[in-house]
Amino acid sequence: MIGDPSVSQTEPTNAYAAAGVDIHAGDRAVDLMKVWIEKSRRPEVLGGVGGFAGLFDASALKAYERPLLATSTDGVGTKVAIAQAIDKHDTIGFDLVGMVVDDLVVCGAEPLFMTDYIATGKVVPERVAAIVKGIAEACVEAGCALVGGETAEHPGLLAADEYDVAGAATGVVEADKLLGADRVEAGDVVLAMEASGLHSNGYSLVRHVLLNSGAYTLDQQVAEFGRTLGEELLTPTRVYAKACLDLARGTRTHAMSHVTGGGLAANLERVMPAELSARIDRTTWTPAPVFDLVRRTGSIALEDLEMTLNCGVGMVALIAPEDVDEAVRILAGYDIRAWAAGEVTATPGGKVELTGAYAGW
């Protein structure tokens, strides 16, 4: 691992370099990323870059009556293959944070701090710094601090230009403000929040359909997108954290669902009580062109598409009907388009049904 203290910095360093691990490149990467990490700093963070552990002053939690810590971990899947193919690495870290912190916020937890892990076949300092830049920028948008991380060089396991990223975050929520299935009521509105694009799920399917079966190339201009396919596929995952926290504070929001792998219905079912169900009307929105391109190119059945991709909805809130207008207003303040897409019904089963056809499909 980069910076492993058990490795001597004299003769064994040369041997380690001969084995494919460049400690000096790792040190250079740390120097380049420091400026970005500092931008994500919160006042509770102690110390700087380079320690064995990130420190966060937990005395801030004394203001809570009964603080519950929430934690989440994730990666970005095979979306990294797109970044590597077009040699653009400053957005993939943004995706990582979105995938992690937006899992925290669904229970009402404020993200406090995050750590990351980057494994690569060869440490290229500028590339690692670009990845961390995206992580730090998204942490700023989410309001959490990037307190630590690790860059590991794995020659022989990964090719020189290959890497993968993962991260974990911790948040806090007051116990009596915890969102979830026990708060959901019949008549609640299913408030959909627009996705920025594919986010970071289903890229194995997307790559297979568009790049293999469809014979598209990443540098190909696509009229529906107004840019290249590669640029479209690298659209960063939207970070909903601050907007959703404001939503929870300003409205009677009972539960939220982050729409990731498994699609809209399956993820919303995770916060549905067994005695209720929900119905969502597809006619209330039109998925972005990239979803239709995947569907048409691969002749993908709608059921399969919806089980894999978010189809234009990245986050959902179950909210009291009287508060819908206020919720839409709050989210608009964060440039997030939201709309009433369905409702919670008194039908037992905890199921979510999608009805109708997407507008324009």
Side-chain angles (χ1 to χ4, degrees):
M1 292 184 182
I2 300 303
D4 188 337
S6 67
V7 179
S8 168
Q9 300 299 300
T10 56
E11 181 61 28
T13 299
N14 296 329
Y16 208 13
V21 177
D22 188 344
I23 292 176
H24 299 302
D27 293 340
R28 172 63 176 154
V30 171
D31 287 339
L32 291 175
M33 68 177 73
K34 282 180 179 178
V35 63
W36 301 111
I37 295 172
E38 187 62 29
K39 289 179 184 295
S40 74
R41 190 177 184 92
R42 287 176 53 130
E44 301 94 339
V45 175
L46 304 178
V49 178
F52 285 93
L55 298 175
F56 190 91
D57 185 357
S59 64
L61 304 185
K62 291 179 179 179
Y64 289 77
E65 290 288 329
R66 185 188 169 200
L68 302 180
L69 293 180
T71 185
S72 177
T73 186
D74 210 338
V76 298
T78 61
K79 189 170 185 175
V80 295
I82 307 297
Q84 292 161 20
I86 66 175
D87 196 24
K88 179 174 171 56
H89 312 284
D90 59 351
T91 61
I92 205 71
F94 208 99
D95 290 295
L96 177 63
V97 176
M99 296 305 293
V100 174
V101 301
D102 287 337
D103 275 357
L104 286 180
V105 78
V106 298
C107 68
E110 175 192 358
L112 298 175
F113 56 84
M114 181 162 179
T115 57
D116 65 73
Y117 179 79
I118 303 169
T120 182
K122 177 179 176 59
V123 170
V124 178
E126 293 76 13
R127 183 172 64 202
V128 173
I131 296 169
V132 174
K133 172 179 180 285
I135 295 172
E137 287 176 336
C139 281
V140 171
E141 187 154 325
C144 70
L146 179 59
V147 297
E150 173 71 1
T151 301
E153 198 166 35
H154 292 166
L157 183 62
L158 295 168
D161 60 349
E162 290 180 338
Y163 62 82
D164 198 9
V165 295
T170 297
V172 63
V173 59
E174 190 70 74
D176 64 4
K177 296 186 183 303
L178 184 68
L179 304 180
D182 60 314
R183 291 177 176 255
V184 178
E185 301 175 356
D188 279 352
V189 170
V190 178
L191 189 76
M193 301 178 216
E194 188 173 46
S196 58
L198 293 167
H199 286 184
S200 299
N201 294 104
Y203 274 76
S204 293
L205 173 66
V206 171
R207 288 166 52 241
H208 172 71
V209 167
L210 298 183
L211 303 181
N212 296 335
S213 302
Y216 281 87
T217 60
L218 292 173
D219 61 356
Q220 182 174 341
Q221 289 285 334
V222 180
E224 298 100 306
F225 306 154
R227 55 181 172 174
T228 67
L229 176 62
E231 290 169 333
E232 176 68 26
L233 296 186
L234 274 191
T235 302
T237 301
R238 174 163 275 156
V239 174
Y240 297 92
K242 283 185 178 179
C244 284
L245 289 174
D246 268 1
L247 186 68
R249 285 189 286 261
T251 68
R252 285 167 292 176
T253 295
H254 298 143
M256 287 187 279
S257 174
H258 186 200
V259 184
T260 57
L264 176 54
N267 280 286
L268 185 53
E269 285 177 357
R270 295 166 67 179
V271 295
M272 290 297 301
E275 66 273 14
L276 301 174
S277 291
R279 184 168 52 248
I280 295 175
D281 183 359
R282 297 186 187 97
T283 67
T284 60
W285 81 97
T286 302
V290 66
F291 298 100
D292 196 29
L293 182 67
V294 173
R295 179 180 69 95
R296 290 185 287 105
T297 304
S299 298
I300 307 295
L302 185 59
E303 181 181 4
D304 287 343
L305 196 75
E306 292 178 332
M307 287 176 58
T308 309
L309 305 179
N310 66 57
C311 290
V313 178
M315 184 75 78
V316 170
L318 301 181
I319 188 168
E322 299 83 6
D323 287 356
V324 169
D325 289 344
E326 176 63 10
V328 170
R329 186 195 67 78
I330 290 172
L331 294 169
Y334 290 90
D335 293 325
I336 297 173
R337 189 173 77 87
W339 65 95
E343 65 176 346
V344 175
T345 69
T347 307
K351 297 298 182 182
V352 175
E353 178 189 13
L354 275 73
T355 63
Y358 293 120
W361 280 26

